[in-house]
Amino acid sequence: MAKYVLEVEHLKTYYYTYKGIVRGVDDVSFKLEEGESLGIAGESGCGKSTLAFSLLKLVPPPGRIVGGKIVIDGQDIVKMSESEVRSKIRWKKISMVFQGAMNALNPVYTVGYQLAEPLIYHKGYSKKEAIEEAKKYLEMVGLAPEIVNRYPHELSGGMKQRVVIAMALILRPKIVIADEPTTALDVVVQAQILNLLKKLQRELKISIILITHDLSIIAELADKVAVMYAGKIVEFGPLDKIFLEPKHPYTQALLKSIPRLRGSKEKLEWIPGTPPDLRNPPPGCRFHPRCKFAMDICRKEPPPEVYLEPDHRVLCWLYGKEKRNSQG
């Protein structure tokens, strides 16, 4: 039996704005096994980062979780108070490598202080003990221990990204969310960061949730893939199934927009239109205005969740009512 470190059930996170309710995450469910890596892909604005902040219960106002469960290590954090999540869950059991390392680091504090602070707050370390532990984690991510005395502006982009990864690991959580961990980095540094994440996952046996719009990064790191569109997971399955046998028209279109180094050369495709306004999403399937396979039923009724295999599911009318999820 697989051991799940994270179980998300029918999660809904909405933003209540004066122009209407934005359904950022709308009925999302998935499970993450111990030591497994999950890649979450999709266009900008599809709900990936909102999902990540929801898993930490850090949704910025005016957003809030309005339904569903987030079970981490047997505890539903949706029902927990902010003080309980801060003291028992956040950074101890699940942490995050935030998008844009420079924005995640405080420019007026040294790297060492920022790494040491969680150890002092959560584990009762003295400042000297915490700094020594911080040096070990800097070495773990390939940086010199002397970096503890530097300020963020003294580091390169790749070095800052490694510091943020060290911060996410400092309390040894079981789950690490990496939100666009290679944004604004050149390809050489991107490769170094991805290799570092793979190395740390193997050595520390952590589970990783990788959030990105770059499918090539997911191909490098993930075991399973969740494809998001307009606040929903439209396809979920093992990496090889998603990349070699994509079923949802959106997944197929994303993959056809990527140039390939090997195999037959085909003309690249693009997806017409733009993602919908989540204050007023289209009726039926949310992808139907951009889908070349759209049928009448797609425009009228929300698609069923169809299990093509026990670990491969798709949200689409193309696969018929006869395969509708028998699990309800």
Side-chain angles (χ1 to χ4, degrees):
M1 290 289 290
K3 182 179 180 182
Y4 296 112
V5 292
L6 172 66
E7 297 177 66
V8 178
E9 298 178 13
H10 304 291
L11 178 65
K12 295 182 179 182
T13 302
Y14 295 169
Y15 294 91
Y16 290 82
T17 74
Y18 69 94
K19 289 187 177 181
I21 299 171
V22 180
R23 296 165 175 82
V25 171
D26 200 7
D27 199 13
V28 163
S29 300
F30 67 90
K31 295 179 181 180
L32 184 68
E33 294 180 22
E34 191 172 20
E36 184 178 56
S37 55
L38 170 66
I40 300 179
E43 294 170 279
S44 295
C46 69
K48 305 187 300 296
S49 292
T50 296
L51 175 57
F53 284 113
S54 299
L55 298 180
L56 286 163
K57 214 175 177 186
L58 271 178
V59 182
R64 63 176 182 264
I65 297 170
V66 298
K69 293 181 179 180
I70 302 171
V71 180
I72 298 174
D73 207 19
Q75 296 176 285
D76 183 4
I77 69 168
V78 173
K79 297 178 180 178
M80 297 172 72
S81 67
E82 170 61 21
S83 60
E84 284 181 303
V85 173
R86 191 189 303 122
S87 61
K88 298 177 182 178
I89 303 294
R90 201 178 292 145
W91 248 249
K92 285 187 173 181
K93 294 185 179 179
I94 183 169
S95 64
M96 186 168 176
V97 179
F98 292 97
Q99 184 175 350
M102 191 63 229
N103 297 329
L105 296 171
N106 192 320
V108 302
Y109 291 116
T110 63
V111 165
Y113 176 82
Q114 293 181 68
L115 280 168
E117 189 177 32
L119 294 169
I120 296 168
Y121 178 82
H122 286 286
K123 299 230 173 154
Y125 281 36
S126 68
K127 186 176 179 180
K128 183 178 179 181
E129 291 171 334
I131 291 294
E132 289 304 311
E133 188 73 4
K135 289 179 181 179
K136 294 177 185 176
Y137 276 83
L138 287 173
E139 289 185 285
M140 186 186 295
V141 297
L143 295 174
E146 295 74 29
I147 297 290
V148 292
N149 298 315
R150 294 197 192 178
Y151 288 87
H153 72 270
E154 299 179 277
L155 307 181
S156 69
M159 293 169 77
K160 286 196 282 273
Q161 194 67 56
R162 289 170 186 262
V163 169
V164 172
I165 292 171
M167 288 176 68
L169 296 172
I170 198 84
L171 294 181
R172 290 292 182 107
K174 292 184 177 182
I175 307 163
V176 173
I177 303 169
D179 188 4
E180 301 280 7
T182 57
T183 296
L185 301 177
D186 63 67
V187 290
V188 174
V189 179
Q190 280 187 27
Q192 293 173 353
I193 296 299
L194 291 176
N195 288 332
L196 173 62
L197 288 172
K198 286 193 285 187
K199 172 176 172 284
L200 293 171
Q201 183 185 21
R202 185 173 61 251
E203 292 177 355
L204 302 178
K205 294 180 173 57
I206 56 176
S207 301
I208 292 179
I209 297 175
L210 177 66
I211 295 175
T212 181
H213 61 271
D214 190 338
L215 290 171
S216 62
I217 292 175
I218 285 179
E220 186 74 20
L221 200 65
D223 300 312
K224 290 183 179 175
V225 182
V227 180
M228 285 194 74
Y229 183 79
K232 293 181 176 288
I233 291 179
V234 295
E235 188 165 3
F236 184 95
L239 179 71
D240 57 344
K241 289 287 183 184
I242 299 296
F243 274 73
L244 300 178
E245 302 174 38
K247 297 301 182 184
H248 197 281
Y250 181 60
T251 311
Q252 294 170 358
L254 286 178
L255 290 167
K256 286 179 180 177
S257 69
I258 302 172
R260 297 183 180 274
L261 294 176
R262 300 178 184 85
S264 59
K265 301 296 185 287
E266 298 177 0
K267 185 178 179 180
L268 296 180
E269 295 187 12
W270 58 286
I271 306 173
T274 58
D277 183 346
L278 293 181
R279 291 172 302 175
N280 186 28
C285 174
R286 294 184 177 182
F287 186 60
H288 87 254
R290 307 172 71 190
C291 181
K292 61 184 179 182
F293 303 110
M295 304 175 287
D296 285 342
I297 195 169
C298 303
R299 301 178 180 91
K300 298 174 184 176
E301 296 183 35
E305 187 172 61
V306 180
Y307 277 74
L308 304 170
E309 293 180 25
D311 57 352
H312 186 189
R313 70 180 195 258
V314 63
L315 203 67
C316 186
W317 277 114
L318 286 174
Y319 301 94
K321 295 181 180 180
E322 69 275 6
K323 291 183 180 178
R324 190 189 290 262
N325 175 19
S326 62
Q327 299 173 24

